[in-house]
């Protein structure tokens, strides 16, 4: 009898969890309506007028056009993206080209050096800190999986190039989609009141600015606001479609693909597919926004709500055009029952305006998601990323990118002025993005899922050929404005590739500049402390450092030393350093060896790269060697400190700080501070006090943050020989790019990182910051 009660309770708990999970899925599916489908949901505003821009179509042409829309949408959006891409493409819950690249690079072990790829299993800090293994040796053990010139040399560059190109296409689309959607919707004013035609442009710019300013609220809150509007919009266009279909039900014979084939033959090629492609704009953002809501909610909302509503709308417009072919210029507004200036007309107009504003939301979120992933793999400048939800890791907001994108969209809107001009330039970038996604999915089928050739070859030939048809149709639009997304894509791809190249040079320099402790200190290999073991795991203190306000009055105020070594002199107001002890345990390697003076009761926190901190147990950063050349003395405790951001919102107190003593070097420790993505990641007084407790630093009088302040310069070369002038020209371009483009940007983001690490609270001891200047030659 007891076991039956237990079984009943278990079943009831399990069903309750399933119901709760189902409710969460439905809620996310509803929210996705307001964040993802605004773009693809507002395509009926301009698709038919783009297919027939300057002629009145016949009945067969209308049936052929709607047949092309139906089958292209079904094959590309439903079969390819909803079923195949959303199942095979996401990586660690994220979507887009970066996710596909990360999945491939993680499988083939060809990712950027020093980067933990999304989805890659991270070793426990406690275990890694205790091991004597280098990052390079790990790579050498796994690289044996790659065989052949293509996999070892060409494939990594090809995958990264496709990733950068695909991301740039989405970024260029992020400029055109808001412009197209908003101009098309606001243009409805001119249909009902032609005298307001000149007001369309300024109203559109104002609406776009308000949209970008609202992004700081976060995608979760915006989705709760936008989702009901998009749902009403989809229901409204479906109802309008049903009313028009009822007037001419024979339009459903266009479901036969024969009408689409005959229409393409009549048009004499694939040029018309450029207009058909506009019905699928936004699907690439749907894949990029997977991290905001999840795969299953997106699939449910797309197949259950969006797809049937759009098909009814397109068939309804086709039915109206068959009866009124002269209304092709603005078929969406003219097919509204009752005509213009009626209550239902203005209701649809208001919904269209709101829906087109929301249409921009999908691309904005896609840009945020892609750039966050690019920053994570060190392929884009490290803009500050703000997570807007503690439940969904992918819901992010990047303030600087948001305002840059706002300026770009407004300028694009002013430049194109009308929706017809924008739609002439729209579509080429999206079709090229389709082909890039198809290629990367094919590589995933080959290298990640390892399916048989008779599965991935038909996939690539079928979808790749269809994508290329859309690309060819879009190329015909280059003289009419499609050059704009190409130029933006080329510029963005060049910048991202240059940034990754320069960053790889700097990372290689950082790895190559590491100094073995044996080359600095004499006899450390022989002086092995067998009793040095992993210290107790860190625990975040829940109480404050001081019990009452009376003790706060006796605190020593925080002082920022702020002097750069070799650049500035100490000011008279700087307090004298702590007394130096001559009883040091370390000796500098020299002839004869020099004893290293230790400053008692002083702790130095040396901020370094977390990868180097974890995987280099017998090496130290070059900053320490440089510091010893200037000041042959060290604090009593030296902590090599690295930080790591986890994919959890908050880190439990007992796993936040991990410290391990370097057994070869007395007084040296390696430490990793983990923080959740909703936490600041700064060295606060609670974390600092916990570090001091773990290294058993008693009677601490001062803490010094040692931070490297690097200046990047291009190395100088001399050339001789026949081609010296050409090589000198190439070197001048290289020097200009490194010193005039990369170096200023790198200093800006390095300065931002330093400011974050320098932000500490008041302590019961003196806290100083020492910047050590170094020159990095690339």
């Amino acid at each position: 009898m007891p076991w039956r009660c237990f079984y009943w309770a278990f079943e009831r708990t399990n069903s309750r969890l399933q119901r709760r999970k189902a409710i969460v899925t439905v809620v996310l599916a509803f929210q996705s309506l307001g964040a993802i489908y605004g773009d693809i949901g507002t395509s009926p505003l301009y698709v038919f007028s783009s297919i027939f821009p300057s002629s009145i179509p016949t009945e067969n042409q209308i049936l052929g056009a709607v047949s092309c829309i139906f089958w292209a949408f079904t094959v590309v959006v439903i079969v390819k993206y909803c079923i195949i891409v959303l199942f095979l493409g996401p990586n660690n819950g994220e979507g887009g080209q970066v996710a596909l690249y990360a999945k491939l690079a993680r499988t083939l072990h060809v990712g950027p050096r020093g980067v933990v790829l999304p989805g890659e299993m991270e070793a426990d800090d406690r275990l890694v800190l205790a091991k004597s293994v280098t990052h390079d040796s790990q790579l050498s053990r796994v690289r044996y999986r790659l065989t052949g010139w293509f996999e070892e040399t060409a494939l990594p560059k090809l995958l990264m190039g496709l990733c950068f190109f695909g991301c740039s296409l989405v970024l260029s689309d992020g400029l055109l989609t808001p412009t197209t959607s908003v101009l098309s919707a606001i243009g409805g004013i001119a249909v009902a009141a032609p005298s307001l035609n000149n007001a369309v442009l300024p109203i559109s710019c104002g609406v776009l600015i308000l949209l970008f300013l609202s992004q700081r609220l976060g995608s979760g809150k915006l989705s709760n606001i936008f989702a009901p509007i998009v749902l009403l919009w989809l229901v409204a266009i479906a109802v309008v479609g049903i009313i028009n279909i009822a007037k001419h039900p024979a339009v459903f014979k266009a479901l036969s693909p024969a009408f689409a084939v005959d229409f393409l033959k009549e048009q004499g090629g694939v040029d018309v597919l450029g207009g058909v492609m506009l019905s699928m704009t936004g699907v690439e953002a749907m894949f990029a926004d997977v991290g905001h809501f999840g795969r299953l909610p997106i699939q449910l909302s797309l197949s259950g709500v969006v797809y049937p509503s759009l098909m009814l709308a397109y068939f309804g417009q086709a039915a109206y055009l068959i009866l009124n072919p002269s209304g092709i210029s603005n078929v969406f507004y003219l097919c509204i029952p009752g005509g213009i200036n009626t209550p239902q007309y203005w209701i649809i107009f208001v919904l269209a305006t709101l829906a087109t504003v929301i249409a921009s939301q999908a691309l904005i979120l896609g840009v945020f998601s892609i750039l966050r992933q690019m920053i994570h793999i060190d392929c884009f400048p490290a803009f500050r990323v703000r997570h807007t939800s503690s439940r969904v890791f992918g819901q992010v907001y990047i303030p600087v990118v948001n305002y840059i994108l706002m300026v770009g969209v407004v300028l694009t809107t002013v430049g194109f002025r009308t929706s017809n001009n924008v739609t002439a330039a729209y579509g080429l970038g999206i079709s090229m993005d389709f082909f890039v996604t198809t290629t990367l999915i094919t590589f995933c089928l080959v290298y990640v899922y390892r399916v048989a050739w008779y599965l991935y070859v038909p996939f690539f030939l079928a979808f790749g050929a269809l994508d290329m048809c859309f690309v060819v149709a879009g190329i015909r639009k280059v003289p009419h404005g499609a050059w704009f997304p190409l130029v933006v894509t080329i510029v963005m791809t060049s910048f991202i590739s240059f940034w990754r190249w320069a960053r790889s040079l700097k990372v290689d320099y950082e790895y190559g500049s590491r100094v073995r402790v044996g080359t600095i200190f004499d006899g450390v290999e022989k002086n092995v402390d067998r009793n040095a073991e992993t210290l107790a795991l860190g625990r975040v203190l829940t109480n404050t450092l001081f019990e009452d306000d009376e003790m706060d009055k006796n605190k020593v105020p925080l002082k920022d030393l702020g002097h750069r070594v070799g650049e500035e002199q100490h000011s008279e107001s700087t307090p004298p350093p702590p007394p130096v002890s001559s009883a040091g345990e370390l000796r500098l390697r020299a002839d004869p060896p020099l004893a290293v003076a230790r400053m008692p009761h002083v702790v130095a926190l040396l901020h370094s790269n977390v990868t180097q901190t974890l995987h280099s147990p017998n090496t130290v950063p070059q900053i320490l060697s440089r510091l010893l050349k200037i000041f042959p003395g060290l604090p009593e405790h030296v902590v090599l400190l690295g930080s790591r951001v986890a994919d959890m919102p908050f880190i439990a107190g007992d796993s936040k700080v991990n410290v391990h003593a370097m057994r070869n070097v007395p007084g040296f420790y390696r430490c990793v501070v983990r923080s959740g993505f909703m936490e600041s990641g700064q060295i606060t007084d609670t974390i600092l006090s916990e570090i001091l407790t773990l290294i058993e630093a008693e009677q601490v009088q001062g803490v010094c943050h040692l931070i490297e302040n690097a200046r990047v310069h291009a190395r100088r070369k001399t050339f001789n020989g026949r081609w010296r002038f050409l090589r000198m020209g190439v070197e001048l371009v290289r020097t200009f790019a490194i010193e005039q483009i990369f170096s200023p940007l790198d200093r800006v983001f390095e300065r931002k990182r330093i400011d974050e690490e320098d932000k500490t609270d008041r302590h019961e001891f003196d806290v100083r910051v020492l910047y050590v200047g170094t020159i990095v030659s690339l």
Side-chain angles (χ1 to χ4, degrees):
M1 192 69 178
W3 66 269
R4 291 184 179 179
C5 295
F6 175 79
Y7 179 77
W8 176 80
F10 175 78
E11 285 292 329
R12 186 171 182 178
T13 303
N14 191 31
S15 61
R16 187 179 304 165
L17 292 175
Q18 290 178 350
R19 286 197 301 270
R20 184 177 302 175
K21 185 182 295 186
I23 293 174
V24 171
T25 302
V26 172
V27 170
L28 289 175
F30 174 72
Q31 289 181 341
S32 68
L33 291 174
I36 296 179
Y37 301 112
D39 185 11
I40 200 171
T42 53
S43 295
L45 284 165
Y46 45 77
V47 170
F48 271 103
S49 59
S50 299
I51 296 176
F52 305 105
S54 59
S55 61
I56 297 178
T58 63
E59 180 177 351
N60 287 334
Q61 288 177 336
I62 295 170
L63 293 174
V66 74
S67 181
C68 285
I69 293 172
F70 172 78
W71 286 106
F73 194 99
T74 302
V75 172
V76 175
V77 178
I78 300 301
V79 177
K80 177 185 172 182
Y81 275 91
C82 183
I83 297 177
I84 299 177
V85 174
L86 288 182
F87 268 103
L88 304 180
N91 174 63
N92 196 34
E94 297 286 346
Q97 284 77 12
V98 184
L100 292 171
Y101 168 74
K103 179 179 291 189
L104 286 162
R106 187 182 71 243
T107 303
L108 299 174
H109 304 281
V110 294
R113 190 180 188 185
V115 174
V116 179
L117 294 170
E120 190 173 12
M121 182 177 296
E122 299 182 12
D124 192 335
D125 293 336
R126 295 167 295 179
L127 300 178
V128 177
L129 288 173
K131 289 181 179 179
S132 297
V133 60
T134 64
H135 184 67
D136 296 329
S137 63
Q138 283 186 338
L139 289 180
S140 64
R141 290 201 304 270
V142 299
R143 233 179 237 284
Y144 74 91
R145 300 182 183 180
L146 298 179
T147 57
W149 172 85
F150 179 74
E151 285 82 3
E152 292 184 355
T153 305
L155 184 59
K157 296 180 181 178
L158 176 61
L159 295 177
M160 183 171 285
L162 287 173
C163 173
F164 293 169
F165 186 66
C167 293
S168 301
L169 289 170
V170 176
L171 295 177
S172 67
D173 192 23
L175 295 177
L176 287 177
T177 296
T179 302
T180 305
S181 302
V182 174
L183 282 176
S184 298
I186 304 299
I189 295 178
V191 176
S195 60
L196 297 178
N197 187 47
N198 294 330
V200 171
L201 182 60
I203 293 175
S204 300
C205 293
V207 169
L208 289 170
I209 291 174
L210 290 177
L211 173 67
F212 281 99
L213 293 178
S214 66
Q215 294 302 311
R216 62 187 305 156
L217 298 176
S219 59
K221 294 180 180 178
L222 291 177
S223 298
N224 292 329
I225 299 173
F226 292 163
I229 299 174
V230 174
L231 182 60
L232 289 175
W233 162 257
L234 293 174
V235 172
I237 62 175
V239 170
V240 172
I242 292 173
I243 294 175
N244 285 288
I245 291 172
K247 298 177 181 179
H248 190 75
V251 72
F252 277 123
K253 61 184 179 181
L255 293 174
S256 171
F259 285 92
V261 175
D262 294 339
F263 178 66
L264 293 176
K265 290 180 180 179
E266 179 186 349
Q267 297 298 316
V270 297
D271 294 356
V272 71
L273 291 180
V276 174
M277 225 284 304
L278 296 180
S279 66
M280 296 173 285
T281 58
V283 66
E284 76 288 347
M286 178 189 72
F287 177 44
D289 292 339
V290 169
H292 289 266
F293 301 98
R295 174 181 56 83
L296 183 58
I298 292 176
Q299 291 174 324
L300 290 176
S301 57
L302 175 62
S303 59
V305 179
V306 179
Y307 178 63
S309 299
L310 289 178
M311 292 304 102
L312 288 173
Y314 286 123
F315 276 90
Q317 291 183 13
Y320 173 83
L321 286 176
I322 291 174
L323 300 177
N324 305 277
S326 60
I328 187 62
S329 60
N330 206 326
V331 60
F332 175 81
Y333 284 108
L334 294 177
C335 75
I336 297 174
I340 61 175
N341 282 326
T342 58
Q344 56 267 31
Y345 176 89
W346 290 110
I347 292 174
I348 296 295
F349 170 77
V350 172
L351 287 176
T353 303
L354 295 175
T356 51
V357 172
I358 298 169
S360 308
Q361 182 71 12
L363 261 297
I364 295 172
L365 295 183
V367 169
F368 289 166
S369 179
I370 286 176
L371 291 185
R372 187 201 66 78
Q373 296 179 71
M374 294 286 285
I375 292 172
H376 182 86
I377 64 175
D378 200 15
C379 294
F380 201 80
F383 290 103
R384 185 174 67 90
V385 178
R386 197 182 79 187
H387 290 265
T388 59
S389 173
S390 60
R391 295 182 301 173
V392 183
F393 176 71
Q395 294 187 2
V396 297
Y397 167 64
I398 308 178
V400 177
V401 174
N402 179 63
Y403 295 119
I404 293 176
L405 193 61
M406 179 184 70
V407 174
V409 168
V410 171
L411 292 178
T412 303
T413 305
V414 173
F416 282 99
R417 301 190 66 84
T418 65
S419 61
N420 291 333
N421 294 335
V422 185
T423 53
Y426 199 38
L428 176 58
I430 301 171
S431 58
M432 297 175 74
D433 185 74
F434 285 175
F435 184 75
V436 171
T437 301
T438 299
T439 305
L440 290 175
I441 286 290
T442 303
F443 279 121
C444 286
L445 291 174
V446 176
Y447 293 105
V448 178
Y449 300 104
R450 299 184 180 275
V451 302
W453 67 269
Y454 52 80
L455 293 178
Y456 64 78
V457 170
F459 169 83
F460 180 75
L461 292 179
F463 289 104
L466 181 59
D467 295 338
M468 287 307 300
C469 290
F470 290 127
V471 172
V472 172
I475 290 177
R476 299 293 183 91
K477 299 163 65 175
V478 169
H480 306 288
W483 56 267
F484 179 78
L486 287 180
V487 171
V488 174
T489 300
I490 292 173
V491 171
M492 290 303 304
T493 303
S494 301
F495 174 76
I496 297 173
S497 301
F498 165 72
W499 182 266
R500 179 58 232 163
W501 170 74
R503 279 294 303 164
S504 64
L505 292 180
K506 188 174 181 182
V507 171
D508 290 341
Y509 175 86
E510 292 174 352
Y511 273 96
S513 63
R514 291 175 299 177
V515 183
R516 297 189 66 85
V517 292
T519 62
I520 302 178
F521 303 113
D522 182 64
V524 292
E525 289 89 353
K526 301 177 182 179
N527 185 25
V528 178
D529 184 5
R530 299 293 182 181
N531 296 324
E533 299 178 353
T534 305
L535 297 179
L537 289 178
R539 183 179 65 248
V540 178
L541 299 180
T542 55
N543 56 340
T544 58
L545 291 177
F546 305 96
E547 296 180 357
D548 50 46
D549 295 336
E550 197 64 34
M551 298 182 65
D552 272 88
K553 300 177 181 179
N554 299 324
K555 292 182 184 179
V556 179
L558 174 65
K559 297 180 178 63
D560 181 0
L561 182 59
H563 300 321
R564 290 171 172 78
V565 176
E567 298 179 5
E568 300 181 5
Q569 301 295 328
H570 292 279
S571 62
E572 296 181 359
S573 60
T574 303
V580 178
S581 172
S582 61
E585 301 181 41
L586 296 175
R587 291 177 174 272
L588 292 178
R589 185 175 290 276
D591 191 17
L594 299 176
V596 179
R598 307 301 288 267
M599 291 178 283
H601 312 306
V602 177
V603 177
L605 300 179
L606 196 158
H607 297 260
S608 62
N609 183 275
V610 64
T611 304
Q612 298 178 27
T613 302
L614 283 174
H615 298 288
S616 303
N618 297 319
T619 62
V620 293
Q622 187 187 27
I623 179 178
L624 185 64
S625 175
R626 177 173 174 80
L627 191 63
L628 286 171
K629 290 180 181 179
I630 302 175
F631 303 119
L634 287 174
E636 182 180 2
H637 305 279
V638 179
V639 181
L640 308 182
L641 184 66
S643 59
R644 185 192 297 277
V645 178
D647 56 359
M648 296 181 292
F650 302 98
I651 299 296
D654 57 352
S655 59
K656 199 175 188 74
V657 180
N658 294 286
V659 179
H660 190 277
M662 296 180 64
R663 60 180 185 177
N664 291 23
V665 190
F668 275 67
Y669 306 86
R670 291 184 296 143
C671 174
V672 175
V673 177
R674 296 177 63 89
S675 59
F677 62 81
M678 294 297 293
E679 298 175 305
S680 63
Q682 299 167 353
I683 306 301
T684 60
D685 43 358
T686 54
I687 296 177
L688 180 57
S689 298
E690 189 68 10
I691 294 174
L692 299 180
T693 301
L694 292 172
I695 65 176
E696 299 179 357
E698 301 176 355
Q699 299 180 354
V700 175
Q701 297 179 359
V703 175
C704 181
H705 293 269
L706 299 178
I707 300 176
E708 184 178 19
N709 185 29
R711 293 179 179 271
V712 178
H713 291 275
R715 63 178 184 271
R716 299 298 189 266
K717 293 182 180 180
T718 57
F719 299 99
N720 297 313
R722 184 177 179 181
W723 302 99
R724 64 181 182 275
F725 293 108
L726 178 61
R727 296 169 65 186
M728 287 175 59
V730 173
E731 192 63 24
L732 285 175
V733 174
R734 181 182 185 275
T735 301
F736 176 82
I738 291 178
E739 296 186 354
Q740 303 302 322
I741 301 177
F742 175 75
S743 181
L745 288 175
D746 184 68
R747 284 185 62 81
V748 168
F749 291 102
E750 188 68 17
R751 182 76 251 176
K752 177 178 71 67
R753 183 186 65 83
I754 289 174
D755 291 341
E756 291 178 355
E757 292 177 346
D758 186 16
K759 189 178 293 184
T760 51
D761 299 327
R762 295 179 298 170
H763 298 283
E764 58 184 355
F765 33 74
D766 189 18
V767 178
R768 306 183 182 185
V769 180
L770 180 65
Y771 299 104
V772 181
T774 58
I775 302 297
V776 177
S777 298
L778 304 181

